[in-house]
Amino acid sequence: MRKPYTHLDNRHGNIPIKVIELISHSGFKDRKEPSEDPNCFVNARGCMKRLPLLFLMLLYFCSASETFAQIADKVIDIPTRPDIVQRVLYLAPANPKAAVILFPGGHGGLQISSDGSFRWGENNFLVRTRQEFAERGLAVVVIDAPSDRQSSPFLSGFRQKAEHVEDIKATIAWLRKQNNVPVWLVGTSRGTQSAAFIATQLGVKDGGPDGLVLTSTILSDDKGRPVPEMPMETLAIPILVIHHEQDGCKHCLSSKIPLLTAKLDSVPRKELVMFKGGEDKGDPCEAFAYHGFNGIEKDVVSKISSWIQTR
């Protein structure tokens, strides 16, 4: 079930705000059907019917076709600084409408292997939804740590460094060359510190992004500079802020969102979208908590993708 509604909240100043409440379907997965026969189903009136074997086979092959139709991941090493490459995972549909560079949270060291597998982070919200973005008409780059940051602490302590900006500038240029479409930076959790910082350092004319999306933004940080303390007011690109009202991560509490929106008053195009619902599992700062939009991923990606493509 999906119950969208909107309201205005004066705490967020002139930022348009939308709240979307999503109720997970997970409560139905243990429901018992009237028959254990795998060839039976229940129609809308509760009548039992036996499915022909041929029809079941057709359903199977249709499902398999959808799986095989997934857009392939490609591992790309982009030269950035002298003797340094930025490894990314790249996937794109035919004729993409825009492109997104996805910045995972945590320490950011995905350690992408040559076969496209991850040693860490495959469950991160942006990593696990990369196909969703591509299927909605976007070229997608998933960022790993660069070749000189492939061991601990990976991107920790590096996200607001000039070298990181240089690496992503080269990645933006490569991506524009591939598709000749607008390039957006999309960060989640610690990834918002990368995306926001790079946007404040690189204007579009300097090779910077065409837009910015912040999800589960780092609003406070006892080890570094959170996003609201960056010069966000200087940005002149579209900014979409996505947050979960029930985010339990201590650095991303929704009560602190006004710290960010107050910095965006002068930004010409912006929107704040607050989500509710889904499932909350494990550490409140991890991927399967509200912090990672667990159970409502498709709705969040759909909102981001449509917002990007209408700007």
Side-chain angles (χ1 to χ4, degrees):
M1 296 176 63
R2 186 175 187 274
K3 295 164 49 182
Y5 63 94
T6 61
H7 71 270
L8 297 178
D9 187 336
N10 291 331
R11 293 177 302 166
H12 304 295
N14 297 321
I15 307 296
I17 176 171
K18 179 180 290 183
V19 180
I20 301 178
E21 182 175 13
L22 297 158
I23 301 174
S24 172
H25 293 78
S26 63
F28 297 97
K29 63 186 178 182
D30 293 326
R31 183 181 60 188
K32 293 182 179 180
E33 298 295 341
S35 173
E36 298 298 330
D37 187 341
N39 292 329
C40 293
F41 75 104
V42 183
N43 68 14
R45 296 182 179 179
C47 300
M48 302 297 295
K49 293 184 178 180
R50 182 171 296 276
L51 294 178
L53 180 59
L54 181 61
F55 182 60
L56 289 175
M57 294 176 64
L58 179 62
L59 287 177
Y60 171 80
F61 286 115
C62 286
S63 176
S65 297
E66 288 185 6
T67 300
F68 295 136
Q70 283 193 330
I71 298 168
D73 292 331
K74 298 178 182 179
V75 178
I76 307 290
D77 288 328
I78 301 170
T80 57
R81 295 168 279 134
D83 300 320
I84 303 300
V85 297
Q86 173 66 66
R87 175 160 287 191
V88 304
L89 203 63
Y90 174 66
L91 56 160
N95 304 313
K97 304 298 188 299
V100 290
I101 298 178
L102 307 182
F103 294 84
H107 58 59
L110 299 176
Q111 302 166 79
I112 300 171
S113 300
S114 57
D115 63 0
S117 61
F118 303 90
R119 291 188 64 185
W120 178 89
E122 65 181 346
N123 290 326
N124 179 269
F125 164 61
L126 291 180
V127 177
R128 71 178 188 263
T129 59
R130 63 190 184 278
Q131 281 285 338
E132 297 284 342
F133 282 100
E135 290 170 5
R136 286 168 172 77
L138 300 176
V140 178
V141 157
V142 180
I143 286 287
D144 195 356
S147 57
D148 60 342
R149 305 285 299 190
Q150 281 294 303
S151 59
S152 181
F154 300 101
L155 292 182
S156 297
F158 186 75
R159 293 186 183 276
Q160 298 180 52
K161 298 291 187 180
E163 294 87 350
H164 191 37
V165 175
E166 191 173 349
D167 293 340
I168 303 308
K169 180 178 180 179
T171 303
I172 293 172
W174 179 86
L175 193 48
R176 284 200 175 111
K177 186 176 180 180
Q178 303 306 305
N179 301 284
N180 192 29
V181 294
V183 176
W184 289 60
L185 305 185
V186 183
T188 196
S189 194
R190 291 283 178 192
T192 61
Q193 290 174 295
S194 285
F197 179 74
I198 292 160
T200 63
Q201 301 302 300
L202 285 176
V204 177
K205 293 182 179 179
D206 300 318
D210 296 282
L212 176 65
V213 180
L214 303 173
T215 75
S216 303
T217 305
I218 296 295
L219 302 168
S220 66
D221 191 355
D222 52 8
K223 296 181 180 179
R225 181 168 52 164
V227 174
E229 293 183 12
M230 298 180 191
M232 302 297 290
E233 69 278 3
T234 65
L235 294 177
I237 56 176
I239 300 177
L240 174 63
V241 178
I242 301 282
H243 214 80
H244 199 295
E245 277 200 351
Q246 298 152 282
D247 194 326
C249 184
K250 66 178 182 178
H251 299 300
C252 308
L253 300 177
S254 61
S255 60
K256 295 182 178 180
I257 277 286
L259 297 174
L260 174 59
T261 56
K263 300 290 290 287
L264 304 181
D265 281 346
S266 60
V267 175
R269 289 182 290 172
K270 68 272 185 176
E271 185 176 1
L272 166 65
V273 180
M274 301 292 289
F275 280 83
K276 296 178 69 175
E279 298 182 66
D280 191 42
K281 296 181 179 179
D283 188 316
C285 294
E286 293 296 334
F288 292 120
Y290 289 137
H291 181 71
F293 305 101
N294 185 21
I296 58 174
E297 296 93 336
K298 289 181 182 294
D299 296 270
V300 177
V301 172
S302 178
K303 175 61 183 178
I304 294 171
S305 302
S306 62
W307 205 86
I308 287 174
Q309 295 183 56
T310 56
R311 292 304 187 273

